[in-house]
């Protein structure tokens, strides 16, 4: 059964496969989404309701934190006030100054604070020193030494909040200096209703409860009084989020009040913040149906567009298959099909280049072989003629002519070389020496030649007529164009790794990069450097190409490297 379905699918056209694939990938999930839409919409509405309650709870917690910070700053300004520190420590020489500070500074200051903040019921100092009590403002610590809040306050640093059942107490100890034996405290008494008055303003429709670190309720608004959620909050039984308590679904959010360690509990019946989901469900169905219709149109258009470009590329491939290698195919599109167009164009272009390079290489090789064959035409006649001239020069006592003829005979003997392309490196170097001997005589020994030859290279092989054109170029364009000083030509040969490296160096005027490029790319008269470079790359590969190092005014180095291999005659020996 599966094999039959695979066969049926393979028979479909690509546009049909694409249409069915998109239909399965897009339309089916959308249909499933429609079936599941109501449940998801309901969950989304609950989540949004939870977020709304969470944002309101965060705002309320920040508001309460802000109020607590204000009281903290107020109490800090009191305990760090130097005059108040002196009062509680009884740091006076006489009672006159103490009375003046109590009447003229402390009492007006406390009155001012209660006037500014109507929620402050009272401000009291409890001191362990022997300072006299002053009304209800300065009292002995012995009055409250057994109160739990006082014991806990003097044991902790910083501000501490307590609830005595009616009022909120904010307690902070005065700083102790050096060997001060007394521990004194300042207490601000705040109305509970005033402290949390902003709760009624911000969350009148929510249930709000506040508990301290021991989960003891500090405050509950009218929606929270005698509510089962409030009792659960005090017991820390309910989690955050949507919970069901006594058959009613609530959204519960807890936020810490960081300044005090209290916890803010906000709850609201879920049906109060969650709107009717029916309208949203209807809208979701309409949107899903519209999307399916729209996507079907887009799928059809997209499939036809993509298939049309693939058919076009297929037609270009057929033309190349039929031999049209001059075809150019380019696309400005940046997608994968556009990349296929451009890569196919590059492939055809590169294929043409390879064909042309292969064709040119074969032609060049045939021409080289033809030249070698032509050079073999009756070489004995040339040798016999040169030998006759040499014999006559010897009989006549013309040693210079004899030397030139002998050098020329050696030069042509190794140059013709029976038409072989690869010759011993020693023969090639002898050819260079014979050629330079002739040039030295013709130039009246106007320059010096220095040979630095490692004899270990003699057994290696090199292409015939590789070094002579390089030497000729060095003499003609280097030595002979030198403005001043004596020219020096160095011929070096050494084994470097698995290769033989020949270096022809002159101290001529040098060349710039453009001239170097022209030497290797432009044809010159005779058998030039371009030909040498092409032959090296043809026989040994591009890594063995001719290298030229030169700078204007610093002479020129030309280097040739060939693989280190023995000549067949030497191996036979």
């Amino acid at each position: 059964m599966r094999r039959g379905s695979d066969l049926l699918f393979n028979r479909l056209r690509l546009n049909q496969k694409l249409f069915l694939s998109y239909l399965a990938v897009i339309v089916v999930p959308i249909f499933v989404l429609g079936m599941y839409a109501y449940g998801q919409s309901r969950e989304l509405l609950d989540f949004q309701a939870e977020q709304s309650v969470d944002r309101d709870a965060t705002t309320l917690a920040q508001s309460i934190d802000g109020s607590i910070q204000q009281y903290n700053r107020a109490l800090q300004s009191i305990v760090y006030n130097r005059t108040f520190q002196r009062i509680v420590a009884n740091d006076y020489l006489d009672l006159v100054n103490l009375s003046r500070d109590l009447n003229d500074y402390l009492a007006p200051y406390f009155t001012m604070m209660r006037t500014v903040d109507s929620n402050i019921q009272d401000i009291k100092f409890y001191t362990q020193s022997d300072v006299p009590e002053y009304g209800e403002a300065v009292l002995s610590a012995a009055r409250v030494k057994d109160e739990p809040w006082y014991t806990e306050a003097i044991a902790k640093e910083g501000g501490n909040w307590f609830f005595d059942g009616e009022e909120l107490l904010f307690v902070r100890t005065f700083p102790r200096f050096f060997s001060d034996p007394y521990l004194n405290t300042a207490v601000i008494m705040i109305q509970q209703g005033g402290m949390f008055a902003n709760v009624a303003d911000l969350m009148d429709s929510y249930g709000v409860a506040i508990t301290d670190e021991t989960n003891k309720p500090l405050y509950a608004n009218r929606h929270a009084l005698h509510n089962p959620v409030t009792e659960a909050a005090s017991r820390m039984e309910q989690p955050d989020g949507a919970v069901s308590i006594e058959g009613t679904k609530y959204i519960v959010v807890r936020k810490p009040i960081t300044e005090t360690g209290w916890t803010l509990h906000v709850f609201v019946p879920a049906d109060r913040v969650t709107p009717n989901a029916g309208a949203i469900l209807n809208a979701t169905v309409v949107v899903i149906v519209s999307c399916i219709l729209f996507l079907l149109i887009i799928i059809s258009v997209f499939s036809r567009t993509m298939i049309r470009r693939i058919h076009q590329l297929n037609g270009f491939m057929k033309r190349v298959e039929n031999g049209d290698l001059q075809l150019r195919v380019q696309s400005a599109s940046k997608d994968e099909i556009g990349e296929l167009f451009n890569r196919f164009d590059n492939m055809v272009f590169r294929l043409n280049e390879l064909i042309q390079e292969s064709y040119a290489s074969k032609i060049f090789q045939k021409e080289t072989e033809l030249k070698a064959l032509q050079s073999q035409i009756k070489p004995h006649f040339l040798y016999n003629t040169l030998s006759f001239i040499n014999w006559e020069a010897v009989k006549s006592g013309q040693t210079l002519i004899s030397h030139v003829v002998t050098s020329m005979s050696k030069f042509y003997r190794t140059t013709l070389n029976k038409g072989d392309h690869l010759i011993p490196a020693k023969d090639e170097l002898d050819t260079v020496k014979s050629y330079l001997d002739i040039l030295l005589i013709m130039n009246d020994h106007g320059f010096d030649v220095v040979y630095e030859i490692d004899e270990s290279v003699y057994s290696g092989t090199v292409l015939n007529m590789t070094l002579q054109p390089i030497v000729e170029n060095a003499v003609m364009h280097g030595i002979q164009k030198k403005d001043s000083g004596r020219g020096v030509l160095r011929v070096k040969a050494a084994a470097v790794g698995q290769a033989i490296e020949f270096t022809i160096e002159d101290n001529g005027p040098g060349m710039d990069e453009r001239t170097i490029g022209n030497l290797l790319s432009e044809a010159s008269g005779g058998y030039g450097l371009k030909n040498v470079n092409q032959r090296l790359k043809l026989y040994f590969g591009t890594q063995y190409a001719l290298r030229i190092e030169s700078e204007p005014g610093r002479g020129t180095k030309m280097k040739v490297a060939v693989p280190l291999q023995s000549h067949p005659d030497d191996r036979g020996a």
Side-chain angles (χ1 to χ4, degrees):
M1 182 66 180
R2 181 180 179 183
R3 182 177 179 182
S5 61
D6 292 343
L7 184 60
L8 178 61
F9 186 80
N10 292 332
R11 288 180 178 178
L12 296 175
R13 301 290 295 177
L14 182 58
N15 61 339
Q16 296 172 335
K17 293 179 181 178
L18 286 174
F19 186 86
L20 292 176
S21 299
Y22 288 135
L23 194 65
V25 172
I26 298 176
V27 177
V28 172
I30 291 179
F31 179 77
V32 173
L33 179 63
M35 300 291 294
Y36 196 60
Y38 180 77
Q40 293 296 312
S41 299
R42 190 69 187 181
E43 289 184 6
L44 178 61
L45 290 174
D46 291 342
F47 176 73
Q48 291 176 341
E50 292 174 15
Q51 283 189 320
S52 176
V53 176
D54 185 83
R55 285 193 298 268
D56 293 340
T58 300
T59 302
L60 180 58
Q62 291 174 349
S63 175
I64 296 174
D65 268 330
S67 299
I68 292 172
Q69 289 175 5
Q70 289 181 349
Y71 289 119
N72 187 38
R73 287 191 291 268
L75 195 55
Q76 280 184 330
S77 68
I78 291 175
V79 300
Y80 287 100
N81 186 291
R82 192 67 188 93
T83 300
F84 294 156
Q85 291 174 357
R86 191 165 57 248
I87 290 174
V88 297
N90 196 14
D91 190 13
Y92 294 91
L93 298 177
D94 52 65
L95 295 178
V96 174
N97 291 327
L98 172 62
S99 177
R100 185 179 63 249
D101 285 345
L102 290 172
N103 295 321
D104 297 343
Y105 190 82
L106 183 142
Y109 190 92
F110 284 6
T111 301
M112 179 269 294
M113 290 192 67
R114 287 193 295 268
T115 302
V116 171
D117 190 348
S118 60
N119 294 324
I120 297 179
Q121 287 287 97
D122 206 354
I123 304 175
K124 299 178 184 292
F125 290 165
Y126 291 98
T127 175
Q128 296 177 354
S129 68
D130 56 355
V131 63
E133 292 188 341
Y134 177 74
E136 293 296 322
V138 180
L139 301 173
S140 173
R143 292 174 175 265
V144 293
K145 65 178 183 179
D146 296 326
E147 295 290 337
W149 63 264
Y150 179 78
T151 305
E152 185 176 350
I154 62 175
K156 294 182 179 179
E157 295 183 358
N160 298 277
W161 288 84
F162 304 93
F163 181 61
D164 65 354
E166 296 180 359
E167 294 178 323
L168 291 171
L169 304 180
F170 188 23
V171 185
R172 190 180 186 96
T173 58
F174 280 84
R176 300 174 68 178
F177 299 96
F178 303 104
S179 60
D180 188 356
Y182 303 118
L183 185 63
N184 306 307
T185 58
V187 181
I188 296 179
M189 301 177 179
I190 304 168
Q191 293 181 4
Q192 180 203 37
M195 177 70 175
F196 303 116
N198 55 353
V199 173
D201 298 331
L202 293 175
M203 292 191 169
D204 184 62
S205 61
Y206 292 176
V208 178
I210 299 175
T211 59
D212 63 10
E213 302 94 328
T214 62
N215 300 325
K216 179 181 178 182
L218 301 178
Y219 172 82
N221 68 355
R222 61 188 180 89
H223 295 291
L225 291 174
H226 309 295
N227 191 290
V229 180
T230 304
E231 297 176 3
S234 65
R235 298 192 303 271
M236 297 295 287
E237 292 177 354
Q238 94 291 344
D240 284 358
V243 297
S244 181
I245 299 178
E246 296 183 0
T248 303
K249 185 176 181 181
Y250 291 88
I251 295 177
V252 179
V253 175
R254 291 180 298 179
K255 293 292 179 182
I257 300 175
T258 55
E259 292 291 326
T260 60
W262 300 342
T263 302
L264 172 68
H265 304 266
V266 178
F267 61 91
V268 61
D271 57 0
R272 187 179 299 177
V273 293
T274 303
N276 186 10
I280 297 178
L281 179 61
N282 294 335
T284 303
V285 172
V286 172
V287 170
I288 289 175
V289 173
S290 301
C291 288
I292 290 177
L293 295 177
F294 179 74
L295 287 173
L296 288 175
I297 298 173
I298 294 297
I299 289 171
S300 179
V301 173
F302 180 80
S303 299
R304 292 179 183 178
T305 302
M306 187 172 65
I307 293 301
R308 183 171 62 250
R309 296 169 64 199
I310 294 177
H311 286 325
Q312 186 180 9
L313 181 59
N314 187 41
F316 290 142
M317 290 181 176
K318 288 181 179 180
R319 290 175 57 181
V320 173
E321 182 182 4
N322 293 330
D324 185 7
L325 297 179
Q326 302 302 320
L327 177 67
R328 300 306 307 270
V329 179
Q330 292 182 341
S331 174
S333 177
K334 301 299 182 182
D335 61 6
E336 287 77 5
I337 297 180
E339 290 182 359
L340 285 176
F341 270 85
N342 294 326
R343 291 185 185 278
F344 179 73
D345 178 73
N346 294 336
M347 182 187 70
V348 174
F349 180 79
R350 182 57 181 157
L351 183 60
N352 267 319
E353 282 188 337
L354 292 174
I355 291 175
Q356 294 297 328
E357 288 176 4
S358 178
Y359 182 73
S361 297
K362 289 182 179 179
I363 292 179
F364 179 77
Q365 184 177 358
K366 294 298 181 181
E367 289 178 350
T368 304
E369 293 174 356
L370 180 60
K371 289 181 180 179
L373 291 174
Q374 290 174 343
S375 66
Q376 295 183 65
I377 298 176
K378 298 182 179 178
H380 295 290
F381 176 75
L382 176 61
Y383 300 153
N384 292 336
T385 303
L386 292 176
S387 296
F388 176 76
I389 295 174
N390 179 52
W391 177 250
E392 292 297 325
V394 170
K395 287 196 301 181
S396 302
Q398 299 293 330
T399 57
L400 182 59
I401 296 175
S402 174
H403 181 66
V404 171
V405 171
T406 302
S407 298
M408 184 177 293
S409 177
K410 291 180 180 179
F411 174 76
Y412 279 111
R413 188 178 301 276
T414 54
T415 299
L416 296 177
N417 195 46
K418 299 181 182 180
D420 292 339
H421 297 297
L422 295 174
I423 64 172
K426 185 177 186 306
D427 291 350
E428 183 68 10
L429 290 170
D430 288 342
T431 300
V432 171
K433 291 179 180 179
S434 300
Y435 177 73
L436 285 174
D437 286 345
I438 297 172
L439 287 182
L440 285 171
I441 294 173
M442 293 174 62
N443 288 276
D444 197 20
H445 293 272
F447 62 92
D448 297 328
V449 179
V450 178
Y451 295 99
E452 299 178 11
I453 309 299
D454 184 354
E455 294 185 358
S456 63
V457 306
Y458 283 161
S459 60
T461 59
V462 67
L463 276 176
N464 187 20
M465 288 296 290
T466 298
L467 301 180
Q468 185 273 331
I470 301 175
V471 171
E472 180 181 359
N473 183 84
V475 173
M476 292 179 60
H477 300 287
I479 301 299
Q480 293 181 356
K481 290 187 178 181
K482 186 174 176 61
D483 294 333
S484 60
R486 187 172 180 82
V488 178
L489 182 71
R490 296 182 182 274
V491 179
K492 303 177 182 179
V496 180
Q498 297 299 316
I500 302 174
E501 185 174 87
F502 300 94
T503 303
I504 310 299
E505 180 180 355
D506 66 74
N507 62 347
M511 297 177 287
D512 55 23
E513 293 292 334
R514 182 178 180 182
T515 306
I516 293 174
N518 291 338
L519 283 177
L520 298 178
S521 62
E522 296 180 358
S524 58
Y527 190 71
L529 298 183
K530 178 182 177 181
N531 198 345
V532 172
N533 192 43
Q534 289 178 339
R535 292 179 66 214
L536 288 171
K537 291 191 291 184
L538 177 64
Y539 278 89
F540 302 121
T542 55
Q543 67 271 30
Y544 294 102
L546 175 62
R547 291 174 293 156
I548 301 178
E549 301 174 4
S550 182
E551 293 183 15
R554 295 193 177 184
T556 302
K557 287 183 181 180
M558 297 191 185
K559 296 183 178 181
V560 172
V562 296
L564 181 59
Q565 53 186 355
S566 301
H567 190 266
D569 294 342
D570 296 335
R571 291 196 298 266

